[in-house]
Amino acid sequence: MDLPSDRPRPESRHWRVTGWLLAAVWLFFLNIPLLAALHQPEVWRRVVGAATLLAFGVFYVCVFQWARARRQEHRGIPAGRAWAAVALLLARGLAGIPGTGGDWLTTLVFVAAAAVFLLPSRQSLVVVALAALTPPVTAALVPGWEAEGTVVFAVLLASFAMFGVTRLAQRNSELQAAQQEIRRLAVAEERARAARDLHDILGHSLTVVAVKAELAGRLLELDPARAATEIADVERLAREALADVRGTVGAYRGISLAGELAGARSALAAAGIAAELPDAAPALPAERDELFGWTVREGVTNVVRHSGARRCVIRVEPGLVEVRDDGRGPAAAAVPGGHGLVGLRERARRLDATVTVGRRPDGPGFLLRVALPVDR
């Protein structure tokens, strides 16, 4: 049986590479502080500026990928780690001041973007506001530093863009989670369907096998020829049940009203129950024919197994199928909550059919009726 997998699908290599590129491409904007560092007169300032910018860029990409991976795995980002990552990014930017001077402010664009991607909305808004206010404030406090309006604009623009990326990633994560839940429910439904069909098939077949085997045992000394015939039927039924199980495991097993009426006649005769049923099944639509076939199978199984009846009547009309007997056994009290009837009700629900089960209102015995709406 082909069951849909309920495991999350691994991320393809293409999208892993794309994720790294999405994070790394924005590092191009670090060229301004990098050029400032490379033009420093002292060698140690060049080294400090270039090294800190390299460490900043690598750390930013790693943080972005770490957060992206957690979102794809439907895991939250711990608040402590998120704040630590933002603080370390800011610290690496500040560490480059000896080599980059006032151009270190460009790193605030990445700090603000990381805050939006890692932190909740209100907390990230605070970080973005502080990052946008830092250039004019530092220009007023530090001699030689200019108020970089472009940095303020870049901080706001990058934060807005990252907000959109974050919401898109969140929606994609929710969509993936919903798809996994759908796959999981499909697996559960398929397993329930297989269990229901196996129960219905084996419950009926093994009941008939048991009845025929008991009859053969009683006839073994009285009528050996008849006993041999019943044993042959037991073998045939066992093989048919095995074939039914194989068919159910592979796919939905075909079942017809005509076949179930023939099987009902044989099962009732083996149990010594007088049967009154149609000589031929009426021509019905495929879904209705299958539903009526399951109804006959379930009803006859319970008549043979539980009722202790001496007579069973099966009535079939275009919109109705009914199985009733004259037994006084525990069928009406014990069967309504059985697994077979649960499966039958599920099938009937697909056609808006009504299932009636219980004691006959017109006398002793058991009644199982499935009726379709008049407009069907």
Side-chain angles (χ1 to χ4, degrees):
M1 184 189 314
D2 294 331
L3 294 177
S5 173
D6 54 356
R7 296 180 180 178
R9 296 179 181 178
E11 184 183 17
S12 66
R13 181 176 181 273
H14 168 75
W15 285 111
R16 287 197 299 268
V17 173
T18 302
W20 283 100
L21 290 176
L22 286 174
V25 68
W26 301 106
L27 298 179
F28 171 79
F29 292 100
L30 291 177
N31 66 329
I32 296 176
L34 179 61
L35 290 175
L38 295 178
H39 286 84
Q40 291 289 341
E42 294 90 345
V43 175
W44 71 271
R45 291 184 183 274
R46 300 176 195 168
V47 173
V48 169
T52 53
L53 288 173
L54 177 63
F56 181 92
V58 171
F59 186 70
Y60 174 80
V61 172
C62 291
V63 167
F64 183 88
Q65 282 297 101
W66 167 74
R68 179 171 171 269
R70 291 188 68 91
R71 291 182 185 277
Q72 290 178 337
E73 295 171 0
H74 314 299
R75 296 189 295 167
I77 299 176
R81 294 185 182 182
W83 277 108
V86 173
L88 287 173
L89 273 176
L90 179 61
R92 280 169 167 77
L94 291 171
I97 290 178
T100 59
D103 289 325
W104 79 274
L105 294 171
T106 304
T107 61
L108 293 177
V109 176
F110 297 90
V111 173
V116 172
F117 195 68
L118 297 174
L119 300 174
S121 299
R122 293 183 179 180
Q123 298 177 10
S124 63
L125 182 61
V126 173
V127 176
V128 171
L130 292 175
L133 291 173
T134 298
V137 171
T138 55
L141 298 177
V142 180
W145 287 12
E146 297 180 359
E148 292 287 349
T150 55
V151 174
V152 176
F153 177 76
V155 167
L156 296 177
L157 181 61
S159 300
F160 180 77
M162 185 57 71
F163 178 81
V165 171
T166 303
R167 290 299 172 268
L168 178 61
Q170 182 178 352
R171 295 296 180 269
N172 288 339
S173 178
E174 293 172 354
L175 178 60
Q176 290 177 2
Q179 291 174 340
Q180 291 179 15
E181 180 66 11
I182 291 173
R183 289 195 293 268
R184 186 190 68 79
L185 292 176
V187 170
E189 175 64 21
E190 184 68 12
R191 289 171 178 167
R193 193 276 305 170
R196 181 192 65 210
D197 283 2
L198 287 174
H199 169 272
D200 293 346
I201 292 168
L202 294 180
H204 173 80
S205 300
L206 294 180
T207 296
V208 177
V209 165
V211 170
K212 284 186 169 290
E214 182 181 358
L215 176 61
R218 293 200 303 266
L219 294 173
L220 193 58
E221 296 181 358
L222 300 176
D223 190 349
R226 175 73 184 282
T229 301
E230 296 297 333
I231 291 297
D233 277 349
V234 168
E235 180 181 0
R236 177 183 59 81
L237 288 169
R239 293 182 183 278
E240 289 179 357
L242 180 59
D244 288 343
V245 170
R246 288 173 177 170
T248 300
V249 170
Y252 276 104
R253 186 183 62 86
I255 186 171
S256 66
L257 177 59
E260 293 306 317
L261 287 174
R265 193 185 304 275
S266 174
L268 292 170
I273 301 174
E276 180 181 332
L277 62 160
D279 295 328
L284 299 171
E287 288 185 345
R288 188 181 308 180
D289 186 84
E290 182 180 7
L291 173 62
F292 283 10
W294 281 114
T295 305
V296 170
R297 166 168 288 209
E298 177 64 21
V300 171
T301 299
N302 285 301
V303 169
V304 172
R305 181 185 297 173
H306 302 294
S307 69
R310 288 182 292 181
R311 183 170 179 270
C312 176
V313 178
I314 300 176
R315 182 163 65 101
V316 180
E317 298 178 2
L320 172 74
V321 60
E322 181 179 275
V323 180
R324 65 179 187 270
D325 62 53
D326 59 355
R328 299 180 180 273
V335 173
H339 294 290
L341 285 174
V342 171
L344 183 61
R345 287 191 175 97
E346 290 179 357
R347 296 184 181 95
R349 194 178 300 118
R350 297 172 189 167
L351 298 181
D352 296 326
T354 302
V355 178
T356 303
V357 58
R359 291 290 182 184
R360 289 174 53 182
D362 57 345
F366 170 79
L367 171 69
L368 172 62
R369 178 190 296 123
V370 173
L372 277 81
V374 177
D375 58 350
R376 298 295 293 268

